[in-house]
């Protein structure tokens, strides 16, 4: 593979010296970009995009053509893993992802097996294709959902406002939920290792719904399984460390516990002050985040002011990857995203001198 021309993102994740604070944006290849919408129309559907390595490569690179971002992230979806487990993923217009089969009865749960990697080959082919197309421009991030987040979709059958079915199982039949989580954790470990083998240079675990859990339940049903995954990941390729990022949306109250599971970096949403977070975790991990995605609906001046505030809160030194506290909105103005990238690169340099 081609030598990296810009490894600022990887060095920041490992708390090594950098010239400026690197930035990428969760969901940076998405519906806010007109070129993405055009490619999706050609592909015919969202899954048509995900399952085509050529289309996935095209849309992964689109934001990098617009903005001088410091990392690319594989274009895919967290629900490819339960789809490969045979649950029948589909996307209902205006309703988001759904599953044809749910895991609510004991027989279905006992029949669940680890996702066969051959059913996910299109993802690994996309990783390899993107790495070739990047030609060393910036690193490529692979990713997966956390076992608990995936289980939420697998049990509820789609998105949920109250997670009623998941939590009913958690409290009434915890052994059934643990079985789902154990098999999903094994699947995610193998899935991320295959992405790393195909060329991903860092990986992120998205624990989107971990913040919906109680204090005790979070540690038992989410954190423990992410720790298990991290312990099983390939952490070095060709003499270079493969950093791992863990992001629990709504997880600021568990920051110290998350920092202790072996990841290199912990993602923050916008509800946690990054300066206080840095004081809490010390030198243990890098931090990623925590710009409110809705701040992109402000003016370019207000976007710059908010970026300046977050950079000042983190302070001097490496170990900060600037990002949004969740995915960019489909209604965001691309010019405002560009203003954020420019502001972070310009305003962060004094903190690294």
């Amino acid at each position: 593979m081609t030598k990296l021309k810009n490894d600022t993102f990887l060095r920041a994740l490992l708390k090594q010296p950098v010239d400026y604070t690197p930035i990428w944006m969760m969901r940076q290849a998405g519906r806010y970009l007109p070129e993405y919408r055009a490619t999706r129309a050609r592909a015919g559907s969202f899954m048509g995009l995900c399952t085509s390595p050529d289309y996935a490569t095209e849309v992964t690179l689109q934001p990098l053509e617009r903005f001088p971002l410091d990392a690319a992230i594989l274009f895919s979806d967290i629900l490819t893993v339960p789809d490969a487990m045979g649950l029948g993923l589909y996307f209902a217009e205006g309703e988001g992802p759904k599953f044809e089969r749910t895991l609510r009865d004991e027989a279905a749960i006992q029949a669940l097996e680890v996702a066969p990697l051959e059913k996910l080959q299109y993802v690994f082919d996309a990783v390899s294709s993107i790495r070739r197309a990047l030609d060393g421009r910036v690193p490529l991030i692979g990713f997966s959902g956390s076992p608990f987040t995936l289980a939420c979709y697998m049990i509820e059958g789609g998105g949920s406002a109250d997670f009623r079915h998941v939590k009913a199982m958690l409290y009434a039949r915890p052994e059934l939920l643990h079985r789902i989580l154990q098999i999903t954790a094994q699947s995610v470990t193998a899935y991320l290792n295959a992405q790393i083998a195909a060329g991903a240079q860092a990986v992120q675990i998205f624990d989107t719904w971990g913040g919906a859990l109680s204090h005790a339940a979070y540690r038992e049903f989410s954190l423990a399984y992410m720790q298990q995954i991290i312990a099983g990941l390939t952490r070095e390729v060709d003499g270079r460390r493969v950093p791992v990022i863990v992001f629990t949306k709504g997880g600021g109250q568990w920051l110290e516990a998350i920092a202790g599971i072996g990841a290199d970096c912990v993602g923050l949403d916008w509800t946690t002050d990054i300066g206080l977070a840095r004081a809490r975790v010390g030198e243990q991990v890098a931090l990623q985040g925590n710009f409110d995605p809705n701040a992109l609906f402000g003016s370019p001046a207000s976007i710059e002011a908010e970026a300046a505030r977050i950079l000042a809160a983190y302070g001097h030194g490496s170990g900060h990857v600037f990002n949004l506290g969740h995915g960019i909105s489909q209604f965001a103005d691309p010019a405002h995203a560009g203003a954020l990238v420019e502001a972070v690169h310009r305003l962060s340099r004094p903190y690294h001198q």
Side-chain angles (χ1 to χ4, degrees):
M1 290 283 187
T2 309
K3 182 175 167 54
L4 265 177
K5 302 176 180 76
N6 175 2
D7 66 350
T8 307
F9 165 71
L10 296 179
R11 285 189 284 124
L13 288 177
L14 301 177
K15 300 178 72 68
Q16 295 169 356
V18 292
D19 295 328
Y20 61 87
T21 301
I23 177 172
W24 68 281
M25 295 179 289
M26 289 189 276
R27 214 181 290 142
Q28 64 190 23
R31 288 178 288 177
Y32 75 108
L33 294 176
E35 56 268 39
Y36 168 89
R37 296 195 296 271
T39 305
R40 178 168 169 166
R42 291 205 320 274
S45 67
F46 178 76
M47 286 306 290
L49 273 184
C50 286
T51 57
S52 164
D54 289 342
Y55 281 137
T57 300
E58 184 177 328
V59 295
T60 296
L61 267 61
Q62 284 171 347
L64 276 74
E65 299 303 322
R66 274 189 182 255
F67 319 119
L69 295 157
D70 294 292
I73 182 165
L74 161 70
F75 183 83
S76 188
D77 192 87
I78 63 169
L79 300 182
T80 54
V81 170
D83 184 47
M85 290 167 147
L87 299 191
L89 176 65
Y90 69 98
F91 285 81
E93 193 61 40
E95 295 183 48
K98 302 274 188 182
F99 283 109
E100 295 169 4
R101 292 167 288 284
T102 57
L103 296 176
R104 294 186 196 168
D105 64 82
E106 189 160 354
I109 293 167
Q110 294 300 340
L112 189 68
E113 295 182 347
V114 173
L117 289 183
E118 60 269 21
K119 289 190 175 180
L120 293 161
Q121 187 60 46
Y122 64 91
V123 177
F124 315 135
D125 290 344
V127 171
S128 297
S129 171
I130 295 162
R131 270 294 301 271
R132 286 193 298 272
L134 283 169
D135 194 32
R137 190 193 314 191
V138 292
L140 174 61
I141 306 165
F143 72 91
S144 175
S146 71
F148 179 74
T149 292
L150 297 180
C152 286
Y153 287 100
M154 294 157 76
I155 296 166
E156 299 290 340
S160 176
D162 58 8
F163 305 102
R164 179 166 56 93
H165 298 291
V166 178
K167 291 199 170 186
M169 189 183 296
L170 186 155
Y171 291 112
R173 296 293 305 276
E175 75 282 4
L176 293 182
L177 182 53
H178 277 303
R179 174 169 170 77
I180 295 170
L181 294 169
Q182 182 61 243
I183 290 173
T184 305
Q186 292 173 31
S187 300
V188 168
T189 304
Y191 181 56
L192 289 176
N193 277 337
Q195 290 185 36
I196 292 166
Q201 292 148 292
V203 292
Q204 175 158 321
I205 301 171
F206 284 89
D207 188 33
T208 310
W209 301 125
L213 289 165
S214 72
H215 182 74
Y218 175 73
R219 292 168 184 262
E220 180 179 352
F221 293 94
S222 185
L223 193 68
Y225 288 97
M226 292 193 289
Q227 184 169 16
Q228 178 182 320
I229 291 165
I230 291 168
L233 290 180
T234 302
R235 301 301 290 274
E236 188 173 306
V237 173
D238 297 331
R240 185 189 274 275
R241 187 167 175 85
V242 180
V244 178
I245 307 163
V246 173
F247 173 56
T248 295
K249 185 170 177 282
Q253 66 269 42
W254 303 306
L255 186 58
E256 292 87 348
I258 299 170
I261 65 171
D264 299 282
C265 180
V266 174
L268 304 174
D269 62 24
W270 57 92
T271 62
T272 301
D273 179 87
I274 198 166
L276 295 177
R278 187 182 188 187
R280 287 166 61 188
V281 301
E283 295 300 308
Q284 197 170 7
V285 290
L287 295 172
Q288 179 177 275
N290 60 338
F291 187 92
D292 184 346
N294 287 326
L296 290 175
F297 295 126
S299 66
S302 71
I303 290 166
E304 179 168 328
E306 181 64 4
R309 184 193 66 76
I310 292 170
L311 289 166
Y314 185 86
H316 286 77
S318 191
H320 180 199
V321 172
F322 206 99
N323 205 324
L324 312 182
H326 196 48
I328 189 169
S329 167
Q330 63 174 302
F331 304 110
D333 183 342
H336 286 193
L340 175 64
V341 175
E342 189 281 327
V344 169
H345 282 164
R346 172 169 46 84
L347 297 173
S348 65
R349 288 185 180 275
Y351 294 103
H352 298 279
Q353 291 174 355

